[in-house]
Amino acid sequence: MCSAFQLPSKALLLRGFSKPGLSSSYCTQRPALTTLPFRKSRLFMSEDGTRPPPEDSSFIDIDNMLPRFLPPLDSHDEHEPTPNASVIPLFPLGSTVYTLETEHTLNIFEPRYRAMYNDILFSGSRRFAVCCVDDEQRFSQVASVFYLKDLQEVSEQTGDQIKFICEHEVIGRINITKVLNPKAWEDRSTYLKVEFQDVEDEDEDQEQIRSAEEAVTESYQSLVDLQHELDENVKFTKESMNNFNISQDGGLWATISMWQIFQQQRLLSRQQEMQAEFQEKLLAYLMKSKDGLENGLPEVVDISELPEELQAEVRGLQARMNEDLAPLQTRDAMDLQILMETRRHSQRLLLLRAMVEKEKRRLETKKAVKMLFS
């Protein structure tokens, strides 16, 4: 789906510079939202745990919605499995949201997860759950189900730094009802196990779905037009409309994955914009150095090797990026998690449209400001 984007040019990479949007040490498939926390969830839910529909069924204010999280774990609160309950291993992976029908590569090195893979292979299930974790170490109530497609033993090639390189597909969603061994999260003695219920979609009126699909398509088209009018650094290609698929038989999840990549690339582009002034000073310093002239500019720069003045600028830049970009990254992740929670296709369409409309409002504001000073 990356071919649906036009992206900005590549910037120098700074080693030792902690930025939002860096990939997880486990996941090598794509940029992941793992470095920043979710805000505390305060959304009121109905008694059966489902999200109440909005009063206006044609529009959702997604910024006022937050994902559901389990209570903080109590390491003393160990449980025996409930008779006949379904149990699955749990692999918490930061604040990354892994949406349905996507594929991911994980590097496995911790002893507890080496044991987990051995167990799911031995049992033949080849499945485990992946949840988000917020800043209070709470787990998202709805988790993705990973299916292990392929596993490579690489301990010999990596000096046992990495045991397995594993390929997965997200094949479903579960609602976590109980963490059986919460102490393991604290002492890392083994992997977590949880009781769960499958999250299945509800039947819906097809006319309502068609109406929602038309609204999303219209919003997406107008967003693409606006992106090109403003010549955004990261934008969907106009040709992407030809492949825009939000159907219930799998198309919507591919589009949601495309939107997630757009979120990540937009964040990286903003990081580059904020770094632009510092990049000029860094390039000037490197060009003056002997190595910079003789060997060409390095692709990666170690911050600790820079003069103190430039190191101070890097620290200030990092603080500004955390202040300006952290809320955006956190909100993007929450929007995706809310999409994963809903059990109705029409509701997911409304949520996706809300995300598209939010981006349109941002660009319309940018356009108005630009016209004001032109």
Side-chain angles (χ1 to χ4, degrees):
M1 305 300 287
C2 292
S3 60
F5 300 98
Q6 296 178 9
L7 304 175
S9 59
K10 187 177 180 180
L12 285 170
L13 298 178
L14 302 178
R15 180 182 291 125
F17 185 30
S18 176
K19 303 186 298 180
L22 294 177
S23 61
S24 163
S25 57
Y26 288 104
C27 183
T28 61
Q29 183 72 6
R30 66 187 186 189
L33 310 178
T34 60
T35 59
L36 298 171
F38 285 110
R39 290 176 294 179
K40 188 173 182 180
S41 168
R42 299 185 185 278
L43 181 69
F44 290 103
M45 309 304 299
S46 60
E47 291 182 0
D48 62 358
T50 59
R51 191 178 308 282
E55 293 182 5
D56 179 2
S57 60
S58 65
F59 177 75
I60 293 178
D61 184 2
I62 197 168
D63 283 342
N64 285 329
M65 301 174 69
L66 293 167
R68 302 198 305 271
F69 285 90
L70 299 171
L73 295 183
D74 183 349
S75 60
H76 302 290
D77 193 18
E78 298 286 306
H79 299 280
E80 291 294 326
T82 305
N84 300 319
S86 298
V87 177
I88 193 171
L90 181 68
F91 193 163
L93 277 176
S95 57
T96 303
V97 179
Y98 295 94
T99 56
L100 279 171
E101 300 177 13
T102 54
E103 297 184 348
H104 307 278
T105 303
L106 300 183
N107 296 329
I108 305 304
F109 47 87
E110 284 193 56
R112 54 179 169 169
Y113 296 121
R114 296 184 185 199
M116 184 190 79
Y117 276 85
N118 286 330
D119 289 348
I120 65 172
L121 285 171
F122 182 77
S123 69
S125 71
R126 304 179 75 92
R127 291 169 172 81
F128 60 92
V130 173
C131 69
C132 301
V133 186
D134 75 352
D135 56 330
E136 298 178 18
Q137 295 296 295
R138 299 181 306 162
F139 297 159
S140 59
Q141 188 170 335
V142 172
S144 306
V145 177
F146 274 40
Y147 177 78
L148 177 62
K149 297 172 61 179
D150 185 61
L151 179 147
Q152 297 181 44
E153 161 71 70
V154 295
S155 55
E156 184 175 346
Q157 299 94 308
T158 63
D160 205 38
Q161 293 298 307
I162 298 175
K163 177 69 172 177
F164 303 126
I165 296 179
C166 305
E167 303 289 338
H168 312 80
E169 181 182 6
V170 181
I171 62 170
R173 300 166 292 161
I174 62 167
N175 188 67
I176 300 172
T177 56
K178 185 188 299 182
V179 180
L180 297 176
N181 56 338
K183 185 178 180 182
W185 181 240
E186 180 180 323
D187 63 23
R188 298 172 178 262
S189 58
T190 187
Y191 58 89
L192 294 166
K193 295 181 181 179
V194 298
E195 292 184 0
F196 71 94
Q197 296 173 342
D198 288 317
V199 176
E200 301 287 351
D201 273 2
E202 302 171 357
D203 292 332
E204 296 187 79
D205 177 68
Q206 292 302 307
E207 183 59 37
Q208 184 179 10
I209 289 177
R210 282 192 292 271
S211 176
E213 288 177 348
E214 291 173 1
V216 175
T217 301
E218 181 180 347
S219 292
Y220 179 76
Q221 177 68 75
S222 59
L223 171 64
V224 173
D225 291 341
L226 189 55
Q227 287 177 334
H228 283 264
E229 180 184 347
L230 295 175
D231 194 22
E232 286 291 286
N233 284 337
V234 178
K235 53 183 175 287
F236 295 101
T237 64
K238 290 190 174 182
E239 291 75 16
S240 68
M241 276 303 306
N242 298 328
N243 300 316
F244 189 69
N245 186 349
I246 50 176
S247 63
Q248 194 169 8
D249 59 356
L252 177 61
W253 286 112
T255 297
I256 289 171
S257 178
M258 181 181 73
W259 185 265
Q260 183 176 20
I261 297 172
F262 165 70
Q263 290 177 332
Q264 295 161 351
Q265 295 297 335
R266 179 188 58 186
L267 186 70
L268 292 172
S269 176
R270 292 194 185 184
Q271 290 171 349
Q272 290 186 13
E273 290 175 2
M274 296 182 73
Q275 291 181 52
E277 182 179 350
F278 172 77
Q279 289 274 354
E280 292 180 5
K281 295 180 181 180
L282 177 60
L283 286 171
Y285 165 76
L286 293 174
M287 291 301 297
K288 288 180 181 178
S289 70
K290 183 178 179 181
D291 290 341
L293 293 174
E294 292 184 355
N295 302 323
L297 295 174
E299 292 185 1
V300 180
V301 178
D302 193 328
I303 292 175
S304 64
E305 297 177 357
L306 297 176
E308 178 56 36
E309 178 183 353
L310 288 178
Q311 290 190 40
E313 288 205 32
V314 170
R315 290 191 291 269
L317 174 63
Q318 183 170 341
R320 293 194 300 275
M321 290 173 69
N322 283 333
E323 180 179 348
D324 294 346
L325 299 183
L328 173 64
Q329 184 183 24
T330 301
R331 185 64 249 178
D332 285 347
M334 288 193 291
D335 291 350
L336 290 169
Q337 181 62 24
I338 293 168
L339 275 168
M340 287 290 287
E341 292 178 2
T342 184
R343 302 183 182 212
R344 286 183 288 170
H345 180 67
S346 62
Q347 188 81 350
R348 280 190 291 275
L349 290 168
L350 290 173
L351 290 166
L352 179 60
R353 185 190 178 201
M355 295 161 67
V356 173
E357 289 293 327
K358 179 168 57 173
E359 179 65 11
K360 280 177 55 183
R361 289 194 298 272
R362 183 185 73 83
L363 294 183
E364 286 165 352
T365 300
K366 182 177 181 179
K367 178 181 177 179
V369 172
K370 186 177 181 179
M371 292 178 62
L372 186 63
F373 291 97
S374 62

